[in-house]
Amino acid sequence: MEALSSIWLFSVFPLTVFHSSAGEICAFKIHGQELPFEAVVLNKTSGEGWLRAKSPIDCELQKEYTFIIQAYDCGAGPRETAWKKSHKAVVHIQVKDVNEFAPTFKEPAYKAVVTEGKIYDSILQVEAVDEDCSPQYSQICNYEIVTTDVPFAIDRNGNIRNTEKLSYDKQHQYEILVTAYDCGQKPAAQDTLVQVDVKPVCKPGWQDWTKRIEYQPGSGSMALFPSIHLEMCDGAVSSLQIVAELQTNYIGKGCDRETYSEKSLQKLCGASSGIIDLLPSPSAATNWTAGLLVDSSEMIFKFDGRQGAKIPDGIVPKNLTDQFTITMWMKHGPSPGVRAEKETILCNSDKTEMNRHHYALYVHNCRLVFLLRKDFDQADTFRPAEFHWKLDQICDKEWHYYVINVEFPVVTLYMDGATYEPYLVTNDWPIHPSHIAMQLTVGACWQGGEVTKPRFAQFFHGSLASLTIRPGKMESQKVISCLQACKEGLDINSLESLGQGIKYHFNPSQSILVMEGDDIGNINRALQKVSYINSRQFPTAGVRRLKVSSKVQCFGEDVCISIPEVDAYVMVLQAIEPRITLRGTDHFWRPAAQFESARGVTLFPDIKIVSTFAKAEAPGDVKTTAPKSEVLEEMLHNLDFCDILVIGGDLDPRQECLELNHSELHQRHLDATNSTAGYSIYGVGSMSRYEQVLHHIRYRNWRPASLEARHFQIKCSELNGRYTSNEFNLEVSVLHEDRVSDKEHVNHLIVQPPFLQSVHHPESRSSIRRSSVVPSIATVVIIISVCMLVFVVAMGVYRVRIAHQHFIQETEAAKESEMDWDDSALTITVNPMEKHEGPGHGEDETEGEEEEEAEEDMSSSSGSDDSEEEEEEEEGTGRGRHGQNGARQAQLEWDDSTLPY
């Protein structure tokens, strides 16, 4: 407050004067202690004076003052004691206030919690104060919400209320600023914060769960709801049932299963051999499915009511015997039309003339029917012929696995592992024997008779996969369960840790889990342990929907509280894709004799199969702008087939083939098929197993004389072609002996020293040896040879026998080593100096020639006891010994003519 600096003007009453000189007022005296006032005489004669403040006056310290004042005259003497004083007068002073202070709130912030959906008269009250002393300035006359666009209002007393119903889903919390005004309209120095939390209405339901759950392939079992709990709003329950359902019907054939071929899956599950795949992947050998609509990722065949496939003769035997099995995956919806026609899945009917169905599998009015007409050569009586099953799953547009086990006259259907007996069996007469050929078809039935032109009829509408037939054997329940088992599903991490009183149950595919209990806490802990698992190394990426429904029973009531469903989904992430690489020697040479041998030529002795995946290199501490490099890490997984293809024309079975010992396959649990187009190894096995088998693939050719080279190609696969390797190409060349000799002569001409004269090279080997000798030296050699003729004749027989034994040993050694040393790139030359160094060398060569002539004479003299084939073999042996041993011992050396000296 501002202090009073002015003096109030006042008059005093007349005083009684005792002396003649006492007519004036000389002073005023205020009685009181430490009063901030003083009185000053203005007019002594009239007695007027001022009452003024000696220091600032603050209303907030003291609002009013009351004191006594007296007036004094001038008196008769110089001392004040002689002055006369008036009577005492009481003075009352009130201090007038100034609006000096702004309002302040008692609390810096306010907080309140409200429940959604309600209108409150007062959520909370804010309060401000003012330090001014007067009622005008010390009172708060108004409050105001500063924050705009909020559903709140405030009255003059500071009560805050909501103007509309609040929603927790719309906004969980509101923060607003409030100010205050005193009656002098001075605002608060600082606004206050008001926080209003909106609490949802207590609704029973599951809390603290995540809608999207990501699953990394290879992570095993992963908890789905690790923090979930049920809010019951203090309601008492007697029992609780939880149903968790994993919806995978749009993944593959109903769930994530192995995508190997049907034969490989049958072998993995331990099924008996002899399965015939009626819907194989289109290929040169199985081309009857080439015209069908195919989903290549899962080998699913879609039939639109206009397609059918003829199975070639010889694929399925005519007599299936009294025991056989038919298996298939089928997805089928309601048939169009009021009276639906038969939709044929599999049909064996007359090819021409008549229209008899010998056996068939079809759908009619959402019923699965199997027809089996026995031949007349058996008992001529009524026999069970049609077996009917009526199931809702046949027309639910979902994938189901069907197995029909026939042990005539009993036929049993397995659907998704459950057993179903036919609800209707009708009898019929046997079929009379005839010589009419039969036609087996898929997706429609062949009508060969009773029509102008044979055609397909009774088309199927739906999808089929893995349609197989196994004559002569029935499948066991264990194998059937394995074949239709899913590789993904629900699981419980720790069964032993489940609370007491918890009951649980899985369906066969583990896509549905039912849990029951009477304690909410135990139910919460049990649901927190429910997990998702996918055991495939390369699972199918995508969404799997997950729903959790609850049923609560209160005491004395059936169902008392409705709990909303949990609607979540599992996102299976993309698996790391492997890079399958084949490496090895891609070109080598082998002599023609090895192609003719019993073992042939090993094609892939050093083949290696490696699978890697790219992994981003972890960034280092040093910052760089260069792109991140990839690190290849090796991974292990299975293969399901490797094809060895013949490139450049099929094999001629009259003179060549590919061979592999069956023991190499069986001990590694693999199978193979061989044809003129190549060799196919199939079956689920490790990469090392396939390596070992490929190491033993051999190629034989009985007539390699006209063969220059053969080209082969290998390509391997995992998951039925989902991941494929590179195409490894191999070229195998044939080394012919005459061409090797020609190559030696050419090299001889190239490196012939300039100081030697050129000589003519005739075609035969003997003339080559003779023409390379100087005439003068030949004369000396002939004379010496005549002298030693007797000795040569004596030693001839001995040398022939030794040479023959030596050739046998070399042949056996060559078989053992299989010509692993590839010397095709070596340049071999004849050193002419060995023939012209001196007479000694000439004599040795001439002796060798004469010895050969003597040997030939002796062979001709004893030829009456041998056949012509033996003579040819003897000649070939002599040529081989002389061409190989003689050349390597005396005529071959490294070609160093191009080396600098």
Side-chain angles (χ1 to χ4, degrees), residues 558-626:
D558 292 338
V559 178
C560 57
I561 299 175
S562 177
I563 298 178
E565 283 188 347
V566 172
D567 189 2
Y569 63 93
V570 178
M571 174 59 73
V572 179
L573 303 179
Q574 183 69 44
I576 299 174
E577 295 191 358
R579 301 176 185 175
I580 307 173
T581 306
L582 305 178
R583 294 197 296 259
T585 302
D586 58 358
H587 189 196
F588 59 82
W589 291 259
R590 293 292 183 269
Q594 192 170 343
F595 288 87
E596 299 178 89
S597 64
R599 289 188 56 83
V601 174
T602 302
L603 294 180
F604 313 105
D606 59 349
I607 192 75
K608 291 290 293 182
I609 306 176
V610 179
S611 182
T612 58
F613 66 94
K615 182 178 181 182
E617 188 175 5
D621 297 335
V622 180
K623 294 183 180 180
T624 178
T625 57

Side-chain angles (χ1 to χ4, degrees), residues 33-69:
Q33 295 181 354
E34 298 181 359
L35 293 174
F37 300 102
E38 65 178 356
V40 180
V41 177
L42 291 179
N43 191 331
K44 294 183 179 181
T45 302
S46 63
E48 293 178 348
W50 285 102
L51 181 63
R52 62 184 182 186
K54 296 187 298 184
S55 61
I57 298 174
D58 194 349
C59 179
E60 284 71 34
L61 296 178
Q62 192 169 344
K63 296 180 180 181
E64 58 184 23
Y65 296 87
T66 301
F67 53 88
I68 297 173
I69 188 172

Side-chain angles (χ1 to χ4, degrees), residues 671-743:
D671 291 317
T673 57
N674 194 1
S675 67
T676 58
Y679 217 103
S680 180
I681 305 169
Y682 62 89
V684 180
S686 64
M687 292 183 290
S688 62
R689 288 184 182 181
Y690 272 86
E691 275 185 11
Q692 295 166 8
V693 172
L694 291 174
H695 289 168
H696 293 84
I697 295 288
R698 304 185 305 275
Y699 171 69
R700 293 182 61 197
N701 192 311
W702 300 280
R703 302 171 187 172
S706 60
L707 182 64
E708 291 290 340
R710 260 300 189 185
H711 295 81
F712 302 92
Q713 184 184 93
I714 304 181
K715 190 173 184 180
C716 296
S717 158
E718 164 67 335
L719 296 176
N720 203 20
R722 179 177 174 184
Y723 304 114
T724 57
S725 71
N726 62 313
E727 295 178 350
F728 178 77
N729 295 289
L730 171 67
E731 180 181 354
V732 182
S733 300
V734 182
L735 286 174
H736 298 282
E737 292 184 1
D738 55 347
R739 296 178 186 177
V740 173
S741 301
D742 294 341
K743 189 182 297 184

Side-chain angles (χ1 to χ4, degrees), residues 744-777 830-833 835-836:
E744 291 174 359
H745 304 329
V746 172
N747 291 335
H748 174 75
L749 290 175
I750 294 175
V751 301
Q752 187 175 13
F755 58 85
L756 292 179
Q757 63 178 12
S758 299
V759 294
H760 179 65
H761 292 268
E763 293 182 358
S764 63
R765 286 176 178 262
S766 59
S767 60
I768 291 174
R769 289 194 297 269
R770 293 189 182 97
S771 62
S772 62
V773 181
V774 180
S776 60
I777 299 177
V830 178
N831 186 0
M833 294 301 294
K835 295 182 179 180
H836 302 282

Side-chain angles (χ1 to χ4, degrees), residues 48 106 281 289 435 611 692 873:
E48 293 178 348
K106 289 186 175 181
S281 302
T289 59
H435 298 288
S611 182
Q692 295 166 8
E873 185 177 355

